[in-house]
Amino acid sequence: MKKTVTRLADGRELIYYDSGAGADSGDSADGVVRDAVDRRPLGPVATSSEIRRDPLLGDSVAIASHRQSRTYHPPADECPLCPSRDGRLSEIPDSSYEVVVFENRFPSLAGDSGRCEVVCFTSDHDASFAGLGEERAALVLAAWTDRTADLARLPQVEQVFAFENRGEEIGVTLGHPHGQIYAYPFVTPRTELMLRSARTHRAETGRNLFDDVVARERAEGTRVVLEGEHWVAFVPYAAHWPYEVHLYPKRRVPDLRSLDDAARAEFPGVYLELLKRFDRIFGEAEPPTPYIAAWHQAPFRAEGRDDFALHLELFTVRRTSGKLKFLAGSESGMSVFINDVPPENAAGRLREVASK
C-alpha cells in the first residue's frame, strides 16, 4: 500500500491510498504520483461543533448547526466525491483514485470535539462496496486501520468509529460509494454498555463475555450465517434489527490495528459475501438493500479495553419487501426494540441466498 498525504484548498487533510495494482489508475502503487492541486477557491472551514452532556441519561450530544448547509442529494454530474475531471472540480483533486480519505467539510465533530472523515471506496460513482472486488476491499481495510492508528495519536480522541451508511432510507445524502470515520472525544454510550456488561460477566464467571457470545453462537449453529478459518458471522440471539449480522475475528483483538495477517487476508472475501447476501435477501426485483455497516473498536484508554472484542455489525432497516423498520414509540422513546423477524429465520434466509 502507498499512502500520499496532501491538503485541500481550505487546509483540510486528504489522503490517497493506492494498492499494488490500482484498478482505477492502471498503475502499480509505486508508480502512482498524487500531486494534483485543489484549484477551488475555497474559504476556511467554519464549524460550530459543540459537545453537550445530557444530565439525565449521562450521554453526550453533538450540536453542529453548520451541517444544515451540507451538500444534499446533488445530481450525479455534480457529485463532490467523484474525481476532478473534464473541467469539473470536486473534493478529490486527482482525475482518478482507488481509496481516498479526507476531513469532512461539514463535520459533526471538530477540533477539541473530535474529528470526522469521509472514506471514498472507489472513483466509480455507480459502484457499491459489494462489487469492489477483494483487492479493493483489502485496501479499504488497510485505510480503516491506518486512520485508526493515526487518530489514536490525537490527545482529544478516545474512540474511533468507522462505518458505512448505504441507501436513502438510511439518510444518505450522497450516492457515491463512501463511508465515514468519527473520532469521538468520549466513549460512546453503546460501547460503555458493552464494557459494563463485559466487566460484570468477568466478575461473575471469570471469563470474557465476547468469547462466550461467539462460542455460544458457533456451538448452537442455528444463527451462524457463514464461517471461515479466521472469521465467523452470525445473527445475534437478541437481534435488534430484522436482518442483523455480527462479524467477529476468531482471535479476539481490541481494534483493527491488532488484526493479524491471516485475518486481514480472509476478511475481504467474507465481508463481500455478506454484502452480496444482503442484496439478495428481498429478491432481485427490489432496489439495493439499505444498510449500516459499523466497526466496533475498543476505546483507547477505557477500563476493560483488553476485554473488548473488535467486531463489525451489519444491519438493514428493511424488514420485508417494500416495508421499513421504523424506530417508533418503544424504540425511540424507551430504547426497547421490537423485532418482527426471529433471528433464526433471518440467519436461515441469509444462508439460502449464498453466492453460487
Side-chain angles (χ1 to χ4, degrees), residues 1-3 16-20 29-30 138-143 146:
M1 180 187 77
K2 181 180 180 181
K3 176 182 177 182
Y16 295 98
Y17 292 92
D18 290 288
S19 65
D30 291 339
L139 185 60
V140 175
L141 176 63
D146 183 71

Side-chain angles (χ1 to χ4, degrees), residues 1 3 15 17 141-151 153:
M1 180 187 77
K3 176 182 177 182
I15 308 165
Y17 292 92
L141 176 63
W144 284 329
T145 304
D146 183 71
R147 296 313 304 144
T148 298
D150 279 357
L151 292 168
R153 299 187 186 102

Side-chain angles (χ1 to χ4, degrees), residues 14-91:
L14 180 143
I15 308 165
Y16 295 98
Y17 292 92
D18 290 288
S19 65
D24 293 347
S25 65
D27 299 314
S28 68
D30 291 339
V32 175
V33 177
R34 301 295 187 186
D35 58 1
V37 176
D38 185 4
R39 295 182 283 109
R40 296 173 298 170
L42 296 179
V45 175
T47 63
S48 58
S49 182
E50 176 188 359
I51 303 297
R52 297 186 181 181
R53 187 80 169 171
D54 185 322
L56 295 182
L57 298 179
D59 59 8
S60 298
V61 178
I63 309 297
S65 60
H66 61 277
R67 284 176 54 78
Q68 285 280 35
S69 59
R70 67 187 185 273
T71 308
Y72 186 80
H73 292 301
D77 60 358
E78 297 179 15
C79 174
L81 306 185
C82 288
S84 295
R85 57 171 64 136
D86 302 325
R88 189 180 68 81
L89 304 179
S90 74
E91 287 279 65

